[in-house]
Structures are given as C-alpha cells and as structure tokens.
Amino acid sequence: MMREKVRLAADWRHRIVAMPRLWKRAVLVTSDFLLLSIALWLGFSLRLSTFYVPPSAEFALLLLAAPAIGVAIFSYLHLYRLVTRFIGWKGSARILLAVLVAVMAWSLVVVIAAVPGVLPRSVFVMYAVFSAVLVWTSRQVAGWLLSDLVASLPLDFEPDRRTAIIYGAGQAGVQLAAALRQSKSHNLIGFIDEDRSLWGQNLAGLKVYRPLKLSKLVERNGVQEVFLAMPGASKRRRRTIIRRLEKYPVLVKMLPAMADIATGKVSVTDLRPVDADDLLGRDPVPPDVELMRRHVFGKCVMVTGAGGSIGSELARQIVDLSPRRLVLYERSEVALYEIERELRARAARDVTIVALLESVNDDVAVRRAISRHGVETIYHAAAYKHVPIVELNAVAGLRNNTFGTLVVADAARDLGVERFVLISTDKAVRPTNIMGASKRLAELVLQAFAESARVPREMGIGALGTEPLARTVFTMVRFGNVLDSSGSVVRLFREQIAQGGPVTVTHPEITRYFMSIPEAATLVIQAGAMGEGGDVFVLDMGTPVKIADLARSMVRLSGLEVQDDRNRDGDIAITYTGLRPGEKLYEELLIGANTTGTSHPLIARNREPFMSEARLLEVLARLDEAMAEDDIRAIHDVLRLAVEDYQPEVRHLEEVGRRRPAGQPHGPLAAEPAAGAVDGEGVVWRQPGETVH
C-alpha cells in the first residue's frame, strides 16, 4: 500500500533522530572504529601495492590498537558531543585535530611496542589523511540525510506517535497545535497555509509551508494525518482543499464549525473525520426568517414520522422557531423516546412538547391528535423509504406511504388544519419501484384534495362526512437523497471501511443527488410556507454524484488506498453487486417541464398533471382490494394505471406471471397526452386549475 511504502521510506530516519543520545554515540563509535580500521588498511595496501594482510597475530593486534586509540581520543576531545547534522567549519577543524592526535598517540604505541614487522613511515601520513577524510565525510553524509528531515521535526519527536500536518495557520490552527503538543498525541511537522505572508515563518514553534510543499512533506516525513483547521472557511473552499488532499495517503480530519467552538459545544481538539457532507455539501443559502416562522411561530405544529431522519430534523428546527406546541407523531417507541428527550432539553419553556405513539393509518388516532391539540400545520414525513424492503413488502409500503397520507390529509382537511406539507422524493418521478409509486400516489392525493372542497363521501375511504372547517393548503416538497440518513449509503460505506472492506456499490454508473439533512429540512419549511395549494416544490439538489466516486473518495480520505487493477496492494476493494430490486441508475426530480422559480434560489415550483379526485379514489379503492388479497399482479396493474410512466422491472413482472404486451404504454402519461385527455381506462389527467367538462 502506498501509505506503508511512504512510512517505511522515512521510518529509519525518524528512528535515528529519535534514538536516545547514548545509542547515537554508540552508533558513531562503531562507525568511527570501522572507518579508522579501513583508513589504516588502505594506507598499508597502497604503500605496499598489495591486498594487505597482517603477517602475525601480534602485528594484527597492534593495527587494531590504532582505531581503538582513535575512538578514545575522539571521545576525550568531545567529538561525540557535536550535533552530527550541524558540523560546520569548527566541527571540521575539531575532527582534523582529533585525527592528528590519534595518529600521534598510536605512533607512540608502535615505537614502545617494538613489534617486529614492516611498518613504513609513510603509512602514518596516509593513515592520518584517510582517517580525516573518511570521518569528516561520514559526518557530512549523515548531516545531509537528516538535516532536511529534522528541520521539520519537533524537538519532542517520538517515533511511536502519528505524524501530522495542520492545514491552516490561523488562530484555530495555532490553538490546535498547542493542544496536541500538550496531549503529546501527535508529532506535528508544521503548518500548511495559502497566505503568502506566512510562508517560511514560525508559529508556535512550527514552520509554515506553502501548499505546493505538501507532497514533499508527506513523502519525506511519512505524514499520516492532515488536520484541516479552517472552521470559518466556506464549504466550497473546504471541499476544494479536501479534493486536493485526496491524492495523498493520509487520514484527513477537520475541526468543527466555528459556531460550535464559539458556543462551547466542542473544543478545537474535537477533530472529526471528513465525511460525505464535506465532499458533497454546499454553502447554505441564508434562510428567509419570515418564511421559516410564517406557519410555525406561535402555532401548534405536528410532525408525522418525527423519529425519522427528516422528521427529527424538522422537529429540531421547528422547536427553535418557537411554536406554541409541537406534536411528535411516531409509531416507533425507541425513535419517539430519543427525539422527545432531545427536544425537551432544547425547547424554550413556553413550548409544549407532545409525544404520541400512534400510526398514520389509524384514522381515529390521527383525528384525535389534530382536534385535541388544535394542530394548525402538519409536516407529513412518515414513510417507508428503503426501496428493496418496500419492493418485497409492497402491501405494507403502499398502506403506510399512500393510504397513510390519505388518512392524515383527509383528517387535516376535515378538521381545518391550515397547512399540510408532504415530504416527497425524487423516486416518485417515473418510478421503477413500489416505494416511488407509493409516494407519487401520495402526491396525487394531495393534488386532488387541493382541487376540491372535500373528498366525495360515497367512496368510503378515509371520510367521515363532515364539512371542512377551513380550506387546507396542501403542498408537496420533492428532493433526493439526504446524507447520513438511516440506511444511507454513506453510513454503509463508513461501516465497511472501518471493517476493512470491501465497499459495495450496486453499479459502476449509478448516480444520485445528495443534500444534507439540515439543509433539506430548512428548505422544506420555507417551501411549505410558499404553497398556495397543490404546489409541487422541487429542491435544487446540485450536481448528481456517482456513488462509485463517492466510495473512492471516502476510502482515500480515511488514509487508505483503493484496491483495484492499478493498485493491487491497496487497502480497501470496491465491489459491484448489481442493481437491487426496483433500483434505478439515475434519479429525476421533475415529471413535466412546467417549472418556475420562486423567491428562493434553491426552490422551484412545478406544475404537474394530476388525476381527478373522483377517479383517484376509485383507483385507490381498486388498489385497496388488491392489497387486501395480497395480489401483487393486481397491485402492479393498478399502479401502471395510476402512476405516470410507472415501469416495474421485468423480473418482478415475471415473478407474478405478468409481462407487458408489446406496444403497451408504460403509463397513462407515457405518450405525453394533452391536458384533459382521457386514457383507455377512463382516467382524466389535468393540469392544475384546468376545468374538465
């Protein structure tokens, strides 16, 4: 793996620098002993023009005395106290002096010993020259190898700590460096900063480098982690830096947002790994406060599915807008307990929190909740959303997503709720799965309700025969995937990377839109406030992202390498498992082309065809019968009739013994019929506001 190779390339130098002083001196003593021995042997070999071998054991001992005396003299003259990488001219002079004294001392020993054998006087001269050259050269080579490295290492460098660089030499970066040094958790190499005025300066004892030096620093020092200390930077700028860091085999971590640091929620040492939101998120557009508060402030608001990813975030933002009462409507006890506990600690004293453990399919419970608490605004987020699960549990999915919406919307209209906002999905557009079809049917319910005063009671579905107290404004908000929701691919990738892989992607070309949960909730509240009745609001999801590219980025930013044909030594493999039941390669957000802007740059209003209310309820009655019989073939028949361009996968039709006849359209809108057209089943499709005679 690349990171391991880089680490090994620099590890031996790190260990030499970090060795105890006694060990370093032992290395130098051993080196000098060998070099002095080589110098003496070279003197004899050159003088005698032969490969010299001592003639006797006594003579060999006399020769070995030369390097031993030399090492002793070097130590006496404090040669081993010199910093090897900073010899300088004074150090060189001391080396020359030590060598001359050592040669003179050995020559005196030779005279006193009077050992028989050939010992030319010129050998002493050559021994002195060779010794000085070899010892001085060894110091210079060691200094050359270590000086660049050590110049960027802290004085308290420890080889067992992880080596890191701080990207951002601002106040947050300096505070982080101080905290990390105090904790002694990392070896800090220095800062990287884009401010030219800081390049080359020293802050908190660390040098500031230009971004172009990052590659060299990572390779030379075996850097393992990069800390992005720019909490006040925009998401776009941070994303650009993160993309730049992707190519290096390092783990990237980030400081929390400056707002969280300032409020004391976190400290500068609370580093977190780079997540998908950092890769895909965008700078939020400041919300319109008037829109946010219009149907929340001082009102009773109910959130269905309040324990889910979107529902819980809606509840958090709503409680911050000071409603009179917030009704949390949720069927999961665990999820309801968690969000209620969180909101009670968060809410102002004058905000009442009501937690109801009920189902949206229970008409009596829904009506009791609305009437008892005087609900004025409903955000309907309750839905089953996992495509493969709903595909295999079609009846449960349709019962919850479509008929649950019908029950809550009918109760809201009958009981005079001012505003009903449906949380929809991009999978409702030309769906290939039950989940998407169920959400499109839910949209059709609201579109039909918006066009009439009340539901015809003769159909017997979700109606109690009462006149509405006031006209309810029904609005839908449609968007794509949210980051880090339950079942999110981001969570899955994170878990798989932590387990060592492989990371599983269904198809190399599968593409999705992504948005952060807080941004989606903020836009939903604002879009809901704009509705005039029957509106389909579409959130700007930005640029779609290939899931395979997202997987690669998450692996690399975890400090690991992707294992593939080009890098077989990588850490984490990416495997392709095939599309799941009902899964599409690409998602869409619009059915038609009747799209107009709104006062918000990230919210568009779309006018889409819808079914007449009487016919819709008839279709839903047929669907209800098919569901009661658990007749999957009949369910598909009704969905193909009711949902524009519904195209169930062939493999699912084969499972229920049905194939689409050649030439049959995929749905009543497949051929883009004119407004007011009647299809072969007698379904009337209209544009909002049009009259059918």
Side-chain angles (χ1 to χ4, degrees), residues 509-530:
E509 298 300 321
I510 193 166
T511 302
R512 290 292 182 267
Y513 291 96
F514 286 99
M515 176 180 287
S516 70
I517 295 176
E519 182 183 18
T522 300
L523 293 175
V524 163
I525 295 173
Q526 294 175 87
M530 297 178 186

Side-chain angles (χ1 to χ4, degrees), residues 568-588:
R568 296 188 180 277
D569 295 327
D571 306 287
I572 304 289
I574 295 177
T575 59
Y576 298 100
T577 58
L579 292 175
R580 299 173 298 175
E583 190 171 35
K584 297 168 68 175
L585 274 181
Y586 309 99
E587 299 290 2
E588 304 168 87

Side-chain angles (χ1 to χ4, degrees), residues 21 91 96 132 153 217 250 257 305 307 358 361 417-418 430 433 465 475 498:
R21 188 172 296 276
L96 180 59
L153 290 180
L217 289 171
V250 295
E358 302 285 1
N361 284 297
V417 173
E418 296 175 6
R430 284 176 273 277
N433 49 68
T475 297

Side-chain angles (χ1 to χ4, degrees), residues 458-474:
E458 63 272 12
M459 299 308 304
I461 299 178
L464 297 181
T466 59
E467 291 292 332
L469 301 177
R471 180 178 181 272
T472 302
V473 175
F474 292 100

Side-chain angles (χ1 to χ4, degrees), residues 229-457:
M230 303 175 67
S234 66
K235 279 191 174 182
R236 175 174 295 184
R237 186 182 178 196
R238 290 203 301 266
R239 186 167 62 246
T240 300
I241 295 172
I242 291 169
R243 290 295 186 189
R244 189 184 304 157
L245 295 174
E246 268 191 61
K247 60 183 178 182
Y248 302 111
V250 295
L251 173 63
V252 181
K253 292 185 177 180
M254 299 182 62
L255 257 67
M258 183 61 76
D260 292 333
I261 297 176
T263 56
K265 293 181 180 178
V266 295
S267 68
V268 292
T269 56
D270 290 325
L271 296 162
R272 62 173 179 82
V274 171
D275 215 336
D277 188 27
D278 304 306
L279 292 169
L280 307 176
R282 56 191 173 186
D283 294 318
V285 175
D288 184 326
V289 178
E290 195 279 326
L291 280 178
M292 293 285 288
R293 292 163 57 93
R294 183 179 296 172
H295 297 286
V296 173
F297 179 75
K299 295 182 177 292
C300 178
V301 182
M302 183 166 82
V303 178
T304 67
S309 302
I310 291 294
S312 61
E313 182 60 28
L314 281 169
R316 293 184 190 98
Q317 296 194 22
I318 288 169
V319 83
D320 292 340
L321 295 170
S322 300
R324 183 180 77 258
R325 180 179 290 112
L326 177 58
V327 179
L328 307 174
Y329 199 96
E330 171 63 54
R331 68 184 303 172
S332 167
E333 181 189 24
V334 174
L336 184 62
Y337 168 76
E338 292 293 338
I339 189 62
E340 182 200 22
R341 185 180 64 170
E342 178 184 343
L343 294 184
R344 287 195 184 281
R346 181 173 185 152
R349 291 184 179 180
D350 57 345
V351 177
T352 303
I353 305 293
V354 178
L356 299 180
L357 189 63
E358 302 285 1
S359 168
V360 292
N361 284 297
D362 188 335
D363 183 76
V364 174
V366 170
R367 291 173 180 272
R368 181 171 58 238
I370 294 173
S371 60
R372 177 175 294 176
H373 300 289
V375 174
E376 297 162 276
T377 302
I378 295 177
Y379 291 93
H380 183 53
Y384 292 147
K385 63 181 182 179
H386 299 294
V387 171
I389 293 179
V390 175
E391 199 69 21
L392 298 176
N393 297 271
V395 173
L398 288 162
R399 184 69 62 193
N400 189 73
N401 295 358
T402 300
F403 288 88
T405 300
L406 177 64
V407 167
V408 179
D410 187 50
R413 184 168 61 171
D414 283 348
L415 298 175
V417 173
E418 296 175 6
R419 188 159 296 258
F420 185 103
V421 182
L422 169 68
I423 312 302
S424 191
T425 171
D426 57 355
K427 294 173 179 61
V429 180
R430 284 176 273 277
T432 60
N433 49 68
I434 296 290
M435 196 281 279
S438 69
K439 293 297 286 185
R440 178 54 187 150
L441 276 175
E443 292 181 353
L444 289 171
V445 168
L446 264 64
Q447 287 177 295
F449 275 30
E451 287 295 304
S452 61
R454 64 187 179 88
V455 179
R457 304 308 179 191

Side-chain angles (χ1 to χ4, degrees), residues 494-513:
R494 192 184 300 131
E495 293 171 1
Q496 291 175 335
I497 291 171
Q499 295 167 3
V503 173
T504 56
V505 180
T506 57
H507 193 282
E509 298 300 321
I510 193 166
T511 302
R512 290 292 182 267
Y513 291 96

